[in-house]
């Protein structure tokens, strides 16, 4: 019954990073952004963690949806299942980071468990089902989505570090200027839209 | 590191000053002053996607208010039993339940709007504000007050979304609620229908609101 | 480690408790949701056939069963419908359901032809996840209505510009989506004869 999307995994991957950036085009994942992005280094760390979680949750939720939820007519419980899978993945990533790099674990602090409620991670799952991506395309979308999010976050933190010294009108400081920066970045990324020709 | 509990959202709306009951206080604080506008604005991020059409925004906001209020009440009722370590996940699941109900009801009784809103209804679950309210208020307050707080927080950010939606639909399509307002002399600003405009509008809105708050604080 | 496992177990327990109310609401509305889907499809098919679609759901269903008949062309083949005229008898046209890639995901359209498979009776869209306010406008009435009576193969002209029999107005700012629609229509037109057995 499902009409699989014919978009190839590579197109999905590059699309998710540039033309279809989950933060700049779909507005997802801004929440944890504002407080973490004071330093490029921690933004990179978070970006890597989110990419890992996104890829993993897409890879796990796809078979759960198509092989368990759909045949048993339980798709309405989808949201709950995805959240649990995300929570489990985040626990796993937390463990890995704690072992691999204690300082990074300390820097990220509460933002690691907050990945569980990151709109971008959840959104990536929902979008992959709406667009009926195949399994490989879905994993590619998770990977690309995470990388694209990371790219946007890191770029924004770099910009914020630069303008931290600039004189801004009082009302614009903080979220105001960040949003305007995001808007300009979104405009810039729209320039990529010719990159992936519709097949 | 910023603690989520310290973030209590609300935009600034000037209300008349008079002695208030606890309930009234909860209500007006939710919509009212003293709260960092910026966290609230961030929670709006994912809902920005539907702000290019006013009708969809209204439905979305109602769903948000419902989810926030009901989640707040649920968390408040259970607050003595939720173990600290799992509280974020439990809050998320409670929110998910209420949002799923909204989603199912929309699909059954407003299928066209449900189709247009797409995944963004489900994304209410991960909306920072809904979570933020349960964390900041629901966990520490009785159900009645939590309900009022949920409703007011919902109303608070809804009106910001509506302002943006009105501007975007009017300038981007010349219509409001689907009804043509601006005549053929108006050339649609395509940018208003696209992603960047929502960011810009929100940024400018914050600028205006915060500028006002800061000026008032100086007095 | 043990803490983490307890975390997971507790959340699963809570989940089971909360599944109950959701399931209740779901079962309550299940019939309505399925009905909505069915009616949506039928409306799209009728619209593509050039038949005026009534407002009430019940009327749509009865009109559909009177005028449209599904033609099964094999398991994998997309659905097609034979449309009978009001007086009955010879088919008055055909409607095909066709899917093609759009900008963000797939676009599924109902494409209606007259009995000779020469010109279009109408076009409507079942599924599309194009950019809201831009590509998504292909579902708007002004866009779908313009195909009535036209013959392919199509090329596009700018929005608002006069279009000949083998042209249609694209959407400003949504060239990729407009071209995607063009591809779907053109491929349907070239394959039309083969789709009808």
């Amino acid at each position: 019954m499902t009409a699989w999307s014919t978009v190839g995994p590579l197109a999905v991957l590059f699309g998710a990073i540039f033309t279809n950036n989950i933060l700049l085009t779909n507005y997802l994942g801004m929440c944890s952004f504002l407080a973490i992005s004071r330093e490029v280094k921690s933004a990179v760390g978070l970006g890597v963690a989110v990419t890992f979680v996104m890829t993993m949750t897409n890879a796990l939720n796809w078979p759960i949806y198509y092989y368990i939820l759909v045949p048993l007519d339980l798709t309405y419980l989808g949201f709950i299942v995805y959240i649990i899978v995300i929570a489990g993945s985040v626990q796993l990533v937390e463990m890995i980071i704690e072992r691999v790099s204690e300082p990074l674990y300390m820097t990220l602090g509460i933002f690691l468990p907050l990945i569980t409620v990151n709109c971008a991670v959840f959104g990536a799952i929902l979008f992959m089902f709406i667009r009926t991506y195949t399994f490989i395309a879905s994993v590619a979308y998770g990977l690309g989505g995470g990388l694209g999010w990371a790219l946007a976050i890191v770029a924004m933190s770099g910009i914020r570090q630069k303008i931290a010294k600039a004189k801004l009108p009082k009302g614009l400081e903080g979220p105001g200027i960040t949003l305007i920066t995001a808007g300009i970045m979104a405009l810039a990324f729209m320039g990529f839209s010719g990159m992936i020709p519709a097949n | 590191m910023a603690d989520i509990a310290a973030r209590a959202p609300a935009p600034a709306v000037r209300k008349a000053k008079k002695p208030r009951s606890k309930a009234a206080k909860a209500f007006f604080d939710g919509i009212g002053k003293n709260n960092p506008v910026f966290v609230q604005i961030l929670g709006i991020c994912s809902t920005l996607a539907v702000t290019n059409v006013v009708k969809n925004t209204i439905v979305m906001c109602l769903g948000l208010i419902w989810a926030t209020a009901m989640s707040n009440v649920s968390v408040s009722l259970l607050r003595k039993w939720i173990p600290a370590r799992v509280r974020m996940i439990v809050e998320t699941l409670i929110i998910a339940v209420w949002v799923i109900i909204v989603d199912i009801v929309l699909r059954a009784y407003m299928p066209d709007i449900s189709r247009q809103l797409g995944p963004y209804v489900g994304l209410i679950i991960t909306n920072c504000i809904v979570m933020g309210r349960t964390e900041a208020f629901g966990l520490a307050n009785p159900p009645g007050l939590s309900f009022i707080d949920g409703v007011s927080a919902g109303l608070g950010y809804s009106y910001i979304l509506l302002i943006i939606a009105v501007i975007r639909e009017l300038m981007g399509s010349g219509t409001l609620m689907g009804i043509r307002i601006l005549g053929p002399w108006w050339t649609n600003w395509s940018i208003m229908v696209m992603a960047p405009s929502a960011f810009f509008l929100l940024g400018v809105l914050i600028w205006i609101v915060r500028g006002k708050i800061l000026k008032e604080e100086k007095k | 480690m043990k803490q983490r496992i307890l975390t997971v177990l507790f959340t699963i327990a809570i989940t089971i408790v909360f599944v109950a109310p959701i399931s209740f609401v779901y079962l309550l509305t299940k019939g309505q949701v399925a009905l909505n889907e069915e009616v949506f499809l039928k409306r799209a098919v009728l619209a593509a056939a050039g038949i005026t679609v009534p407002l009430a759901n019940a009327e749509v269903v009865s009109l559909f069963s009177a005028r449209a008949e599904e033609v099964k062309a094999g398991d994998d083949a997309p659905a097609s419908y034979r449309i009978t005229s009001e007086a009955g008898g010879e088919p008055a046209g055909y409607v095909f359901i066709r899917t093609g890639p759009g900008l963000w995901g797939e676009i599924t359209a109902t494409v209606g032809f007259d009995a000779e498979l020469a010109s279009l009776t109408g076009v409507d869209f079942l599924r599309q996840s194009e950019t809201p306010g831009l590509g998504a406008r292909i579902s708007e009435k002004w866009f779908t209505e313009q195909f009535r009576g036209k013959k392919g193969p199509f090329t596009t002209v700018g929005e608002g510009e006069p279009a000949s029999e083998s042209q249609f107005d694209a959407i400003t700012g949504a060239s990729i989506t407009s071209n995607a629609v063009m591809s779907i229509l053109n491929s349907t037109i070239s394959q039309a004869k083969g789709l009808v057995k």
Side-chain angles (χ1 to χ4, degrees), chain C residues 37-154:
Chain C
E37 288 298 309
E38 184 195 320
V39 170
F40 185 65
L41 173 67
K42 293 185 173 169
R43 281 184 191 276
V45 171
L46 289 177
I51 302 173
T52 323
V53 185
L55 281 176
N57 284 354
E59 286 175 42
V60 171
V61 175
S62 61
L63 186 58
F64 184 86
S65 50
R67 302 286 299 276
E69 186 194 325
E70 189 169 353
V71 177
K72 297 225 186 287
D75 282 325
D76 287 341
S80 48
Y81 299 86
R82 191 178 297 125
I83 309 292
T84 52
S85 63
E86 274 188 53
E90 287 296 306
Y94 301 90
V95 174
F96 304 111
I97 300 187
R98 304 280 297 177
T99 305
L103 177 57
W104 297 129
E106 302 245 295
I107 297 179
T108 306
T110 51
V111 186
F113 288 88
D114 61 8
E116 292 83 41
L117 295 175
S119 56
L120 296 182
T121 49
V123 170
D124 204 356
F125 292 97
L126 284 176
R127 266 191 69 222
Q128 48 103 341
S129 25
E130 304 303 286
T131 321
L134 288 174
R137 295 180 64 207
I138 55 177
S139 297
E140 287 174 14
K141 274 243 158 341
W142 70 270
F143 187 81
T144 55
E145 290 291 317
Q146 63 176 326
F147 293 101
R148 298 202 195 284
K150 296 211 178 190
K151 280 171 162 19
F154 288 102

Side-chain angles (χ1 to χ4, degrees), chain B:
Chain B
M1 280 281 134
D3 187 351
I4 248 201
R7 300 178 181 184
V13 164
R14 301 293 142 221
K15 295 275 173 187
K17 298 206 189 297
K18 59 176 186 213
R20 347 187 124 145
S21 62
K22 256 190 151 188
K25 187 171 192 313
F27 185 76
F28 288 119
D29 273 358
I31 316 185
K33 49 187 184 108
N34 274 353
N35 293 301
V37 178
F38 90 97
V39 177
Q40 165 143 346
I41 300 297
L42 281 186
I44 281 177
C45 65
S46 55
T47 343
L48 281 181
V50 305
T51 51
N52 54 352
V53 176
V54 172
K55 191 165 170 200
N56 296 351
T57 309
I58 293 181
V59 174
M60 179 65 111
C61 287
L62 289 174
L64 263 162
I65 295 176
W66 163 265
T68 316
M70 299 311 287
S71 308
N72 240 13
V73 172
S74 313
V75 168
S76 172
L77 286 169
L78 292 173
R79 69 188 186 280
K80 303 223 166 74
W81 292 295
I82 304 179
R85 193 144 209 313
V86 286
R87 72 169 194 282
M88 237 182 4
I89 255 285
V90 171
E91 284 163 9
T92 313
L93 287 172
I94 293 178
I95 297 171
V97 169
W98 293 112
V99 172
I100 295 180
I101 293 182
V102 172
D103 190 37
I104 295 180
V105 167
L106 275 181
R107 261 195 256 189
Y109 300 113
M110 298 180 105
D112 293 324
I113 297 193
S114 168
R115 215 169 281 119
Q116 286 173 36
L117 290 179
Y120 287 99
V121 176
L123 280 168
I124 297 178
I125 299 177
T126 48
N127 185 305
C128 325
I129 292 198
V130 187
M131 168 78 62
R133 283 339 270 159
T134 58
E135 183 88 359
F137 204 91
L139 268 185
N141 288 281
L145 279 181
S146 298
F147 180 80
I148 296 178
D149 175 78
V151 170
S152 75
L155 284 174
Y157 59 76
S158 290
Y159 90 80
I160 294 189
L161 281 178
L162 275 172
I163 294 177
I164 297 183
V166 166
I167 298 179
R168 285 185 80 192
E169 186 177 350
L170 200 56
M171 298 181 93
S173 320
T175 60
L176 271 186
M177 296 290 283
I179 307 172
R180 184 112 216 136
I181 305 265
L182 296 176
W185 54 269
W186 174 261
T187 324
N188 290 339
W189 288 26
S190 286
I191 181 112
M192 283 294 168
V193 183
M194 299 192 241
S197 66
F199 285 126
F200 288 137
L201 284 175
L202 199 46
V204 168
L205 217 61
I206 301 183
W207 186 7
I208 298 174
V209 168
R210 282 188 108 202
K212 252 185 77 183
I213 302 182
L214 289 167
K215 246 193 248 169
E216 300 245 353
E217 274 172 11
K218 277 211 182 122
K219 290 185 189 159

Side-chain angles (χ1 to χ4, degrees), chain A residues 14-27:
Chain A
F14 284 106
I17 300 179
F18 298 110
T19 65
N20 187 4
N21 187 298
I22 209 159
L23 193 150
L24 295 172
T25 322
N26 297 111
Y27 307 92

